Amino acid sequence: MAVQPSRSDRRELVRERAFTAAGLTAAVALVTTIVLFLVQLFITSRASRAAFGIPFLWRSEWNPVTEQFGALPMIIGTLITGFGALLISTPFALGIAIFLADYAGKKAAEPVKYLIGLLGGLPSVIFGLWGLFVLVPIVSRFEVWFGKLVGSEALVASGTTGVGLLAAILLLAIMILPFSASLILESLLVVPMELKEGALALGATKWDTIQNVELPYVRRSMVGALVLSLGRALGETMAVTMVIGNGMRLPHSLFDPANTLASAIANQFLEATSPVYIASLIQLALILFVIAIVINIAARVILRRGVQQ
Amino acid sequence: MKNRRHVSILLTMLAVVTLVASGCSSQGGSTTVKELAGAGATFPYPLYSKMFDTYDGATGVRVNYNSIGSGGGIKALTDKTVDFGASDAFLTDQEEAAMGAPVLHIPTCVGAVVLSYNLDGNPALKLDAGVTANIFLGKVIRWNDPSIAALNAGLSLPDLAITVVHRSDGSGTTSIFTSYLAAVSPSWKSTVGAGKSVSWPAGVGGKGNDGVAGMISQTKGGIGYVELVYAEQSKMPFASLKNASGTFVVPSLASSAAAAAVSLPDDLRVVIVDSPAADAYAVSAFTWILVYKEQNYAGRTLGQAQALKKLLIWVLTDGQAINEGLSYAKLPATAVTKALALVNSMTYGGTAIP
């Protein structure tokens, strides 16, 4: 005859089951939310696909008056600002992380880490205001200087505002820097001491150790950190809106006003009334969603290949 | 034990929710309605909140107004979730068709859109329809262009690039301004057209009045359009504009109200830009409250219809005294008469609302 479970055992069992159920519910709810999201976006953007079909992706006209819509300028704007920002911020992020992990003493590293965290938590509208009032005038001066340098009359004439792709890229680079820096730093800090000491014991210099031991060790999490930062750059709305110039045409240079998917939606959704217009804006959201998914999958593939090697 | 307590808490919560919900629905059956809801345009929001606050004090009827944008207001009225919508642009035929029933346009004030600029010394600039259209078409690109100089004898304008600033978000302000340009310039009408957001041939976009103002103040040689209220409050310089009868008019409450003092169609669904009145400022327009003509819909009571009618009559009469204090132009008498006729044409179940 089996031993009757005691009262406290039974209570323990109930608690455990409840906990499992709660955890499962949360997990399922998350997945369901994402799927429902996608389904909802897909359904509500139907009118746009009915009107423009797949060519919506490479049409470059965006005219609410004649109701002709195409996403190409915003797709280009999103990708250029996102990857441009990543390109500029990555070397800095890496430098900051390596410096804090291996060169700065604990006394110097702690306050800097704190400040990086603070910068990362700043609301994006503050970055936007700073961008508009500080960064944009600097970019404007650079534009005029650059225009004179290459002898472009058009650039000097049209490039006096400073708002445009370049300003957005620079602002985004600054905004994602704290993210990528602190994520890379976290991974550098968990490199096992034995590995570092082993390398040093073999006569490797500090730089050799970083290059041949630490960086290969954290490669995986570094790609993860960069993808997370890229995700933030692609979806950033408020700060971008304030400095990108919100041009709905294809930009011809880095100084041209442009727009991103997120910024276009935020700007126009409130006053959009015609069904095709609304559906086209939702279609932009769907495209942004898909871009985010594709980038995440790509990162995973890169990671796996890196691990196999 | 513990679980049973959880269940009882859950049941209590459910009961409370049900009670609250039934409380809400039973309110619809009462005869004296103490609350009305509206949603829509952001432009008249300061005016409406002051008006409705005063109305609450005078009558005890509370009006909740959400300034979610004209588009949102139209959608809320289409979905029948509010008593009235508010919009800076009148409904297009397509939007009116989506409503499924006739909608009345009740104007509440006259708004003006002004051209603000950033030039050294803040010279008093004069512009006319053709030059303004050419600037926004990107055809006139420097401040010392002969066409600008011809209108501003005595001013020495700099050899500086003109930077056009427009709204990046959809807005009634843009609708008014582009309606004006489309009315005065055939090439604007054919290449760009009018609407709450358009495909701009030139310039950079800022979000909201403050975004445009910020961009203008940042850029030497910038020019853009903002609401008169906003330009006055933020002390921005603005240009006087040559109107249809050939006079240069400084935008003001009086000159924008004058634009509406012309013969108006009975449904008041009209853009009054480029007004023929002699002292009118050309870029002026109504902003409207939208209501269904037939008030017996979606289970509405006669009490609600009466409360709404009373509110609208008050807005058109006593409420107008509030307009100018907040820099919104009053409706001229002719417009008030026609608007009151519209309000009185509202019906409940096919008969006039007592």
Side-chain angles (χ1 to χ4, degrees), chain B residues 116 209-210 213 226-237:
Chain B
S116 186
N209 279 307
D210 45 345
V226 289
E227 283 151 15
L228 171 64
V229 192
Y230 188 87
E232 281 193 335
Q233 280 166 0
S234 52
K235 311 244 178 301
M236 300 165 75

Side-chain angles (χ1 to χ4, degrees), chain A residues 72-96:
Chain A
L72 189 65
M74 279 75 78
I75 294 176
I76 300 268
T78 304
L79 293 179
I80 290 183
T81 51
F83 282 98
L86 194 66
L87 204 67
I88 293 177
S89 78
T90 302
F92 289 97
L94 211 55
I96 292 171

Side-chain angles (χ1 to χ4, degrees), chain B residues 217-310:
Chain B
S217 70
Q218 284 281 300
T219 314
K220 271 273 168 291
I223 184 167
Y225 59 93
V226 289
E227 283 151 15
L228 171 64
V229 192
Y230 188 87
E232 281 193 335
Q233 280 166 0
S234 52
K235 311 244 178 301
M236 300 165 75
F238 42 79
S240 50
L241 199 58
K242 197 177 196 174
N243 68 9
S245 52
T247 329
F248 285 100
V249 177
V250 179
S252 68
L253 294 181
S255 62
S256 51
V262 290
S263 73
L264 298 163
D266 287 337
D267 65 0
L268 295 177
R269 209 176 140 223
V270 61
V271 186
I272 51 171
V273 295
D274 199 30
S275 164
D279 46 356
Y281 176 66
V283 198
S284 308
F286 289 131
T287 181
W288 292 273
I289 281 180
L290 308 174
V291 293
Y292 284 108
K293 184 172 161 67
E294 169 56 54
Q295 283 290 304
N296 188 6
Y297 61 90
R300 282 166 68 83
T301 62
L302 181 61
Q304 278 172 302
Q306 282 172 323
L308 182 59
K309 184 178 172 182
K310 264 188 212 142

Side-chain angles (χ1 to χ4, degrees), chain A residues 5-75:
Chain A
S6 75
R7 199 185 154 80
S8 73
D9 276 355
R10 228 181 304 147
R11 198 185 287 167
E12 200 62 37
L13 195 69
V14 167
R15 205 178 285 171
E16 193 141 313
R17 278 210 195 123
F19 184 74
T20 314
L24 188 69
T25 316
V28 170
L30 181 73
V31 175
T32 319
T33 311
I34 293 176
V35 172
L36 283 180
F37 234 78
L38 207 58
V39 170
Q40 175 76 11
L41 287 179
F42 196 77
I43 292 174
T44 43
S45 58
R46 232 173 4 197
S48 170
R49 276 191 305 281
F52 309 113
I54 300 293
F56 183 76
L57 290 175
W58 55 83
R59 285 166 60 105
S60 58
E61 191 186 3
W62 186 271
N63 191 336
V65 178
T66 54
E67 302 209 327
Q68 292 300 314
F69 300 107
L72 189 65
M74 279 75 78
I75 294 176

